[in-house]
Amino acid sequence: MKVLYISNVGDWSGSTIALKNLLTQLVPMGVEPLVVCKFRGQFTVWLDEKGISVEIIDFDWSYIPPIYSIRDLLAHYWRIYKYFRKERKCITQLETVCFKFKPEIIHSNNGIIQIGFKVAKKLGINHIWHLREYQTLDFGMYPMPSMKIFKKMLKKSNCVAITKDIQRFFELGSRESIVIYDGVMPAGAARYNPNKEKYFLFVGRIEKSKGIDILLDVFIDFCKVNEEYNLKIAGEGMVDFMDLMRAKVINAGINQRVDFLGFRTDRYDLMYNATATIVPSRFEAFGFITVEAIMNGCPVIGNNVGGTAEIASNSPGNILLYEGKNDLLFKLEEIVKYNISEIECHINNLQLDAQNRYSVEKSADMIFSYYNSLFNQQTN
């Protein structure tokens, strides 16, 4: 079965890690992939190493930038004109790739890619839209040309939503969509370390949407009542925002208790040893970090929104959800008082659920079954 995948980036990101996990499982099942990326990066290096064909098409993301000023408003229509002018060229390039590769399915790896849908519709090829983000709630993006029209386009495609809440958000039914959680880690990778070190962990982009500013505000207050636990921050971001976060820590006089680690390849080991991983995102579509922490035996304290809340609802009572800064402070104070048996019980329940719902094997099996169902519909 030939499947043409379209990725909005060529570097590692949540969406490309999820696609990597899928391809690792699907290729042995008989899927012959070709991946179209916007540009080359670490992800395309991995594809090359695995012998997976790559094509580069410099398409624009299909969204309308936020309008913050009169200048943005004046530039709005010019941006739309440039977008559609470039899109025509990129559609022609993608059609050429399709004529050569002859895919049975075009699989757009996230919702901000529209050229795959348009080419698939024109050439009579099955199309899958993998909806990994809300766009508006998590990134402040509005689909091109409008949310109303985008939802109509989704109804004419086949959609994979990574959570039930994303499926609801885009008003999709069971006829045109299915919920398949991302595959995060192999089912057999679950582990647990009872000898936790005295630190909390944040993993992710250092940016406002990830709620790191909220976490630091709360940790500053936590340091006033607790002298033992530190905070480790694994991730990178825009220099200006990172400087603001470092200044916040220094001004509060807790720079000896907050460690900015930068990008780390050993985040699983950091989770394995942490007292808890904090997921303070203002809105999280799925929650890769949440599942990674669970599989590495790390308790999770998360903001009660989006994918984090849905993961928690699938294993009630085992993730500490909070609402607001005061509640997060209370949860930090609470978890350091837990005994080992309490933590082991929660982790065991979470890992059993995670292996059943979020393993790379489970996700790939469901995607492959979905491919087959579409292929059978087309041939019948």
Side-chain angles (χ1 to χ4, degrees), residues 174-186:
S174 58
R175 185 185 66 82
E176 67 275 357
S177 69
I178 185 173
V179 175
I180 301 177
Y181 291 120
D182 276 340
V184 179
M185 294 174 67

Side-chain angles (χ1 to χ4, degrees), residues 244-263:
L244 284 174
M245 297 303 99
R246 288 193 177 97
K248 183 188 289 282
V249 168
I250 292 169
N251 292 338
I254 61 167
N255 47 303
Q256 297 300 315
R257 296 183 63 179
V258 178
D259 193 358
F260 289 89
L261 303 174
F263 176 78

Side-chain angles (χ1 to χ4, degrees), residues 31-162:
V31 170
E32 181 183 343
L34 183 150
V35 182
V36 172
C37 292
K38 179 174 170 60
F39 56 83
R40 288 196 172 273
Q42 293 172 319
F43 176 52
T44 59
V45 169
W46 179 85
L47 292 169
D48 290 337
E49 290 173 351
K50 297 300 178 181
I52 296 173
S53 299
V54 178
E55 294 283 349
I56 304 300
I57 298 178
D58 183 26
F59 57 86
D60 285 341
W61 295 3
S62 303
Y63 77 97
I64 301 170
I67 297 174
Y68 296 119
S69 64
I70 294 176
R71 183 177 180 180
D72 289 341
L73 181 62
L74 293 174
H76 173 68
Y77 293 105
W78 174 242
R79 288 188 189 123
I80 292 177
Y81 168 74
K82 287 199 303 181
Y83 168 83
F84 283 113
R85 185 178 63 178
K86 185 175 182 180
E87 185 188 58
R88 286 196 296 271
K89 177 183 175 182
C90 293
I91 284 175
T92 300
Q93 290 176 296
L94 185 58
E95 286 175 351
T96 301
V97 173
C98 288
F99 289 140
K100 292 179 180 178
F101 183 61
K102 295 180 171 55
E104 288 140 308
I105 294 172
I106 295 177
H107 186 148
S108 297
N109 196 44
N110 55 31
I112 60 173
I113 302 167
Q114 292 185 11
I115 61 170
F117 168 75
K118 292 176 181 179
V119 169
K121 187 177 179 183
K122 183 176 179 180
L123 301 182
I125 302 170
N126 270 315
H127 178 260
I128 291 176
W129 236 319
H130 214 130
L131 301 174
R132 302 184 181 279
E133 63 286 305
Y134 297 89
Q135 300 190 39
T136 54
L137 298 179
D138 37 14
F139 296 108
M141 299 177 177
Y142 286 84
M144 187 75 73
S146 70
M147 179 63 81
K148 183 178 180 180
I149 293 175
F150 180 62
K151 287 180 178 179
K152 289 181 178 179
M153 292 164 69
L154 293 178
K155 295 278 188 181
K156 297 176 182 178
S157 180
N158 306 288
C159 302
V160 173
I162 62 169

Side-chain angles (χ1 to χ4, degrees), residues 236-333:
E236 296 177 340
M238 299 296 289
V239 173
D240 289 349
F241 187 77
M242 290 191 68
D243 287 345
L244 284 174
M245 297 303 99
R246 288 193 177 97
K248 183 188 289 282
V249 168
I250 292 169
N251 292 338
I254 61 167
N255 47 303
Q256 297 300 315
R257 296 183 63 179
V258 178
D259 193 358
F260 289 89
L261 303 174
F263 176 78
R264 296 290 288 258
T265 59
D266 62 343
R267 67 183 184 277
Y268 288 175
D269 291 334
L270 290 169
M271 293 170 175
Y272 183 65
N273 294 311
T275 293
T277 294
I278 317 300
V279 184
S281 299
R282 285 177 163 83
F283 222 94
E284 193 71 48
F286 172 61
F288 237 82
I289 299 302
T290 299
V291 178
E292 287 180 336
I294 289 167
M295 292 293 283
N296 284 287
C298 185
V300 175
I301 301 175
N303 193 13
N304 188 21
V305 293
T308 307
E310 187 164 323
I311 291 169
S313 71
N314 289 330
S315 184
N318 293 303
I319 291 179
L320 290 176
L321 295 176
Y322 72 87
E323 296 184 4
K325 290 183 179 181
N326 290 338
D327 196 23
L328 175 54
L329 177 60
F330 174 75
K331 294 299 192 300
L332 294 180
E333 294 173 348

Side-chain angles (χ1 to χ4, degrees), residues 22 25 61 81 90 97 125 192 202 206 216-218 222 231 252 258 261 267 305 311-312 342 374:
L22 272 180
Q25 299 293 315
W61 295 3
Y81 168 74
C90 293
V97 173
I125 302 170
Y192 172 67
F202 170 92
I206 311 301
L216 287 175
D217 287 341
V218 172
F222 176 82
L231 173 64
V258 178
L261 303 174
R267 67 183 184 277
V305 293
I311 291 169
E342 286 179 293
L374 297 179

